[in-house]
């Protein structure tokens, strides 16, 4: 391992408190139930079969970070304490991951809302929300601060060290995020071998898998996600960003190998950050 990677691993494991990760949404771009669908999953009364768009809340004792901000964010945040976020991490610009940014405007009472994404994502946010940027802002718009980040460059937010990881969403490079021994990746199809050293020592993995069968051009299937989890040596893996074709929760969970769990909305994961 080169010197920079060694230094990075050292900084990652200076954390001593646990992380609380709440999966506020675990569904694919259209959510589950799917509009107009009458399949068993979409008609299920099991709350674990109802999935809002992917969002995760990561909390330490002193720091609160949101990963993505999709179009269901108002509904997802309504039951939670109204407290500021130290950062909003954006994986990429697709609507199901950024479509709820405007709904964060009430949090402007705490000060600027700090959004972190790669150069392309930040530019697109400016393009789709021009009314939030410029000299003469419309009264009441969310107070947004955009911060460009890059893969492998650690971001220090409160007591957290966050390392962006680059994965490929089809042909589109997007970001995943590592915090201590925890990593969150969504919308991945492939990952370069050069990224793997940045995932050494990961114990808890949240990663996307659309369904079991029928290959997709820009998303993993469950077998892909399981192979990836084994490749990096994750001890516990949670499957997110799934569609109704995954099947009923109770049936799909039975098909998961040891150490792999089908995540559901509202699931809380406690991660040892050391």
């Amino acid at each position: 391992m080169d010197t920079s990677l060694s230094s990075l691993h050292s900084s990652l494991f200076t954390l001593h408190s646990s992380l609380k990760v709440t999966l506020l949404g675990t569904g694919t771009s259209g959510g589950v139930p799917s509009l107009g669908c009458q399949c068993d999953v979409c008609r299920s009364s099991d709350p674990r079969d109802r999935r809002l768009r992917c969002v995760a809340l990561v909390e330490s004792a002193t720091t609160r970070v949101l990963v993505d901000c999709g179009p269901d964010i108002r509904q997802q945040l309504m039951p939670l304490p109204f407290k500021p976020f130290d950062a909003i991490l954006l994986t990429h610009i697709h609507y199901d991951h950024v479509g709820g940014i405007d709904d964060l405007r009430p949090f402007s009472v705490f000060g600027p809302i700090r959004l972190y994404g790669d150069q392309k994502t930040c530019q697109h946010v400016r393009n789709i929300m021009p009314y939030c940027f410029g000299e003469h802002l419309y009264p009441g718009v969310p107070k947004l601060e955009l911060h460009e980040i890059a893969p492998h460059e650690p971001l220090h937010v409160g007591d957290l060290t966050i390392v962006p990881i680059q994965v490929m969403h089809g042909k589109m490079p997007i970001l995943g995020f590592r915090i201590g021994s925890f990593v969150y990746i969504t919308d991945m199809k492939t990952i370069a071998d050069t990224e793997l050293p940045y995932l050494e020592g990961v114990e808890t993995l949240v990663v996307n898998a659309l369904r079991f069968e029928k290959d997709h051009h820009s998303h993993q299937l469950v077998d892909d996600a399981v192979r990836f989890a084994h490749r990096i040596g994750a001890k516990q893996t949670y499957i997110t960003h799934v569609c109704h074709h995954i099947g009923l929760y109770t049936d799909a969970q039975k098909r998961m190998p040891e150490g792999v769990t089908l995540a559901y909305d509202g699931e809380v994961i406690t991660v040892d950050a050391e």
Side-chain angles (χ1 to χ4, degrees):
M1 186 180 296
D2 63 32
T3 304
S4 61
L5 275 174
S6 178
S7 175
L8 172 60
H9 278 261
S10 176
S11 67
L12 281 171
F13 292 100
T14 57
L15 300 168
H16 296 290
S17 61
S18 63
L19 296 177
K20 176 185 176 183
V21 179
T22 306
L23 302 178
L24 300 177
T26 58
T28 190
S29 56
V32 184
S34 181
L35 278 171
C37 182
Q38 294 297 312
C39 75
D40 288 345
V41 175
C42 291
R43 291 186 294 110
S44 172
S45 60
D46 187 337
R48 295 172 298 182
D49 288 321
R50 309 186 74 84
R51 301 178 182 277
L52 301 176
R53 269 64 73 93
C54 272
V55 173
L57 174 62
V58 181
E59 299 172 284
S60 70
T62 60
T63 305
R64 200 168 186 241
V65 171
L66 200 64
V67 184
D68 283 334
C69 185
D72 301 316
I73 196 64
R74 180 180 178 277
Q75 179 180 351
Q76 291 163 322
L77 295 181
M78 193 66 75
L80 303 182
F82 185 62
K83 300 190 297 185
F85 294 106
D86 297 284
I88 315 294
L89 307 177
L90 302 178
T91 59
H92 62 299
I93 194 56
H94 285 169
Y95 179 77
D96 55 317
H97 295 268
V98 301
I101 291 175
D102 191 273
D103 285 339
L104 296 179
R105 64 175 63 194
F107 292 89
S108 294
V109 300
F110 300 114
I113 298 165
R114 299 177 179 86
L115 306 171
Y116 296 83
D118 61 20
Q119 187 276 332
K120 185 176 181 179
T121 298
C122 288
Q123 185 57 52
H124 278 289
V125 171
R126 292 187 185 95
N127 292 343
I128 65 176
M129 304 182 71
Y131 57 91
C132 293
F133 304 94
E135 294 183 10
H136 305 289
L137 300 180
Y138 185 83
V141 300
K143 301 173 184 177
L144 304 181
E145 276 187 7
L146 283 172
H147 300 268
E148 291 186 12
I149 56 177
H152 316 146
E153 295 182 3
L155 169 66
H156 301 285
V157 178
D159 62 346
L160 301 180
T161 297
I162 302 165
V163 180
I165 307 296
Q166 187 176 87
V167 303
M168 298 301 296
H169 183 19
K171 296 182 179 180
M172 177 184 180
I174 66 172
L175 297 179
F177 298 100
R178 177 175 183 170
I179 306 174
S181 62
F182 168 73
V183 69
Y184 183 91
I185 294 173
T186 184
D187 288 46
M188 179 173 78
K189 177 64 175 182
T190 59
I191 185 170
D193 290 345
T194 51
E195 295 297 308
L196 299 182
Y198 296 94
L199 297 173
E200 288 184 7
V202 165
E203 296 188 357
T204 306
L205 168 68
V206 175
V207 69
N208 64 293
L210 201 60
R211 52 199 177 217
F212 285 101
E213 291 89 20
K214 193 180 178 183
D215 192 41
H216 191 275
H217 69 280
S218 63
H219 287 272
Q220 295 185 125
L221 301 184
V222 171
D223 284 348
D224 301 319
V226 170
R227 282 193 294 269
F228 172 66
H230 290 164
R231 190 177 183 190
I232 67 171
K235 294 181 179 178
Q236 182 63 49
T237 298
Y238 297 85
I239 301 297
T240 192
H241 206 291
V242 303
C243 71
H244 58 152
H245 296 125
I246 196 88
L248 293 167
Y249 178 88
T250 52
D251 296 335
Q253 180 55 40
K254 292 174 184 176
R255 299 177 63 179
M256 297 293 171
E258 185 178 357
V260 180
T261 298
L262 179 58
Y264 55 86
D265 286 18
E267 185 163 15
V268 176
I269 304 166
T270 300
V271 181
D272 185 353
E274 292 187 351

